[in-house]
Amino acid sequence: MLRTGPAVLAALTLALGGCAAAGLASPAAASESRPAVTVTRDGDSWTADYVLDRDAPVWAFYSSSLIMDARRPWRLEQWRVLTPGVVLERIGDRDVLRAADGGPVPRRLRIAFTPKSENLEADYSILVFTDGSTALPSGQFDVFPVDSPAAVAELPRDLNGHEMEGGAATVTWRDRAGPILFRGRRVAEATEAEAETYVLFGEADLVEGERLITVADPALPAWIGDAIETFAPRVADLYAERLGPGQSARPTIMMSWDGPTDGMTSMGGSVMPGLIVMAFEGEGVVQPTAAVLAMSRWFIGHESAHFWLGQVVRYERARDAWITEGGADMMAIRAMQRIDPDWDARAELQKEVDDCVARADEPVAEAAGRGEHRATYACGAVFAMIAEAAQRRATGGDWFDFLKPLIDASRADGVLTRDEWLDALDAVSGDQETRRDIEALLDQGAPDAAAVVARLFDRSGVAYGLEDGRVVLG
């Protein structure tokens, strides 16, 4: 099974905020207008010490994703509040800290936690390396105040938490055993708000190359690191050639290994500014078979695409993650097709069509809330296929030709909205019906999604046929 995560995911299936331009500082630099947290590792003991900046009966976590497949809150299994009178619980779609007596949460509180690798839904996962090194995503400690437990339940699922009052927490990172790795540098400690990165505790090796900085689990099958180091620069060069500069010309790639689990072939990843995080697991990736090598290249292509779709420009709200996730799928497919002409792009595109049709009976924009993240990727890719076909009819261009003007127009504010994407489609298709059908799939879904996709392909010029009600690409 191939698993791909955020952005934001992420990106990336997250609503990514701009990265603060703050550098390393002392703990005293923490802002007085936002919560402050000190994260400390002392051997096997981990603690998070909060200093809250105001009185509130509830503090909610921006990052409140569920464990993939199991759909359980990961934080409730790994964290334990040590401060008396404070409860950690789940309300609606949020993990929260709540005062047991209904009053304000104490301004100072301590939490103990035990980091564990879990594949999370549309969120950045903790990485635990086989040598004991541990990488924590910085955003998992961010909180914002809420007036009441009832108000938490009313928060929109796709809330961009960093726009809430109080902003993200200022976090200080320390390891009693020695330096941490923060933004590609070994430092004694670091303090920053809205860091949008991973912080590595432990001795995992940092290898600096001309185009990449890599941090790899020592037990990672060697071929994976070799494949990344040779293929990632090639695909990044192609994207830069077609779309202009990405967010990072020399990213750090952090790779973890969860072991050769029987019956599994798992690759998960996410992207933050200047950083790609990849997690590998399963007996299926121990040896570089032709199929697994092709899968790994496509995976690299998808994650690298987020330096453009997800970092240079991001979506406005989480319901619009189809823009970046489906768009990154399409970028990876077209990159693979150009770099490896023998690769079967049609089979990958057909999988996108099949997966979208199978999951678009309900609103695609609400798929994440149902745990149907594959709908976000697959239907986003189908919409990209439609845009590309319309672009080809209008100008003879391809997916990159459709995408580049959108990215260029959004570089200033860093946001590519749903309306901007659909307006661009209107411009190349000259057909408002195409837009209406896409919006219907996004907002209502369709009992007969195959018929809607076929109609969209008819209008845009995607070659296809129908076989027993299945939309089959020509």
Side-chain angles (χ1 to χ4, degrees):
M1 176 175 64
L2 172 65
R3 295 174 175 170
T4 55
V8 10
L9 288 154
L12 305 154
T13 59
L14 298 170
L16 296 177
C19 178
L24 302 181
S26 68
S31 169
E32 294 180 358
S33 63
R34 65 176 77 220
V37 191
T38 299
V39 176
T40 305
R41 185 176 82 161
D42 188 357
D44 293 332
S45 174
W46 295 79
T47 54
D49 289 286
Y50 278 82
V51 179
L52 303 174
D53 65 321
R54 68 198 72 188
D55 289 334
V58 180
W59 287 82
F61 289 90
Y62 299 154
S63 171
S64 294
S65 294
L66 301 176
I67 299 170
M68 189 73 74
D69 299 329
R71 308 216 74 212
R72 299 191 311 271
W74 66 269
R75 188 177 276 109
L76 272 60
E77 298 182 5
Q78 298 182 28
W79 289 29
R80 180 168 55 93
V81 180
L82 301 181
T83 302
V86 180
V87 177
L88 173 64
E89 63 184 4
R90 184 83 172 181
I91 300 178
D93 297 311
R94 298 280 164 178
D95 298 339
V96 304
L97 294 166
R98 176 180 61 82
D101 63 3
V105 174
R107 292 285 191 101
R108 293 180 177 271
L109 61 95
R110 169 168 284 195
I111 293 168
F113 61 97
T114 303
K116 180 181 177 183
S117 292
E118 296 282 8
N119 191 20
L120 303 183
E121 293 184 353
D123 204 352
Y124 302 113
S125 301
I126 295 166
L127 304 180
V128 178
F129 290 50
T130 55
D131 67 353
S133 298
T134 301
L136 301 180
S138 57
Q140 70 175 216
F141 297 96
D142 290 337
V143 291
F144 60 94
V146 186
D147 290 338
S148 68
V152 175
E154 298 301 318
L155 292 172
R157 180 179 285 117
D158 63 349
L159 173 72
N160 182 352
H162 287 231
E163 296 176 356
M164 296 295 290
E165 181 184 4
T170 298
V171 186
T172 297
W173 312 87
R174 296 171 177 162
D175 188 350
R176 303 291 188 197
I180 59 173
L181 183 68
F182 185 82
R183 297 200 183 283
R185 294 174 52 199
R186 293 282 185 185
V187 295
E189 67 177 45
T191 297
E192 189 169 329
E194 300 182 78
E196 291 279 13
T197 191
Y198 271 74
V199 182
L200 180 68
F201 296 75
E203 299 299 322
D205 286 338
L206 175 72
V207 179
E208 298 201 36
E210 181 180 349
R211 299 293 305 280
L212 299 171
I213 300 170
T214 58
V215 181
D217 191 302
L220 184 77
W223 76 265
I224 295 176
D226 293 341
I228 289 171
E229 289 173 12
T230 57
F231 188 75
R234 294 181 67 189
V235 76
D237 287 344
L238 171 59
Y239 293 159
E241 173 191 332
R242 297 303 309 276
L243 299 175
Q247 187 274 329
S248 177
R250 187 174 178 251
T252 296
I253 300 184
M254 193 176 292
M255 299 166 280
S256 71
W257 173 242
D258 290 331
T261 306
D262 291 345
M264 182 175 286
T265 301
S266 177
M267 304 178 191
S270 57
V271 175
M272 291 180 171
L275 175 67
I276 299 176
V277 175
M278 297 180 174
F280 297 86
E281 180 181 1
E283 62 179 355
V285 297
V286 173
Q287 298 296 328
T289 65
V292 169
L293 183 59
M295 185 187 301
S296 69
R297 286 179 169 178
W298 183 93
F299 175 53
I300 294 165
H302 175 97
E303 296 304 332
S304 298
H306 283 310
F307 282 127
W308 285 262
L309 278 179
Q311 295 294 332
V312 172
V313 297
R314 63 188 185 276
Y315 49 75
E316 185 177 30
R317 303 299 292 268
R319 66 173 70 97
D320 302 323
W322 60 270
I323 294 173
T324 56
E325 296 301 351
D329 271 10
M330 193 66 169
M331 286 176 64
I333 290 168
R334 292 311 184 207
M336 282 287 293
Q337 194 173 16
R338 175 167 165 180
I339 293 172
D340 181 4
D342 294 329
W343 184 69
D344 192 350
R346 181 188 172 281
E348 193 64 35
L349 290 169
Q350 184 64 57
K351 185 176 187 301
E352 303 280 16
V353 174
D354 291 342
D355 288 352
C356 176
V357 167
R359 293 165 173 80
D361 56 327
E362 297 184 75
V364 173
E366 299 174 6
R370 302 191 301 270
E372 285 277 4
H373 297 281
R374 181 60 192 146
T376 301
Y377 289 70
C379 290
V382 168
F383 301 156
M385 292 168 61
I386 292 161
E388 181 183 63
Q391 184 75 44
R392 186 175 295 115
R393 274 186 166 179
T395 68
D398 61 10
W399 171 235
F400 293 105
D401 291 311
F402 177 83
L403 198 55
K404 187 177 188 304
L406 282 171
I407 290 177
D408 288 346
S410 300
R411 283 181 183 270
D413 66 2
V415 177
L416 173 55
T417 69
R418 166 173 155 170
D419 281 344
E420 288 167 345
W421 196 102
L422 292 171
D423 287 347
L425 178 60
D426 288 344
V428 296
S429 71
D431 176 14
Q432 289 286 327
E433 288 297 319
T434 296
R435 179 186 188 133
R436 279 193 280 271
D437 275 345
I438 289 176
E439 290 188 313
L441 288 176
L442 288 169
D443 298 331
Q444 288 93 43
D448 189 358
V452 178
V453 170
R455 191 162 64 238
L456 286 164
F457 283 179
D458 275 333
R459 292 201 202 94
S460 60
V462 177
Y464 78 98
L466 290 174
E467 297 180 6
D468 298 325
R470 180 180 177 228
V471 180
V472 179
L473 295 173

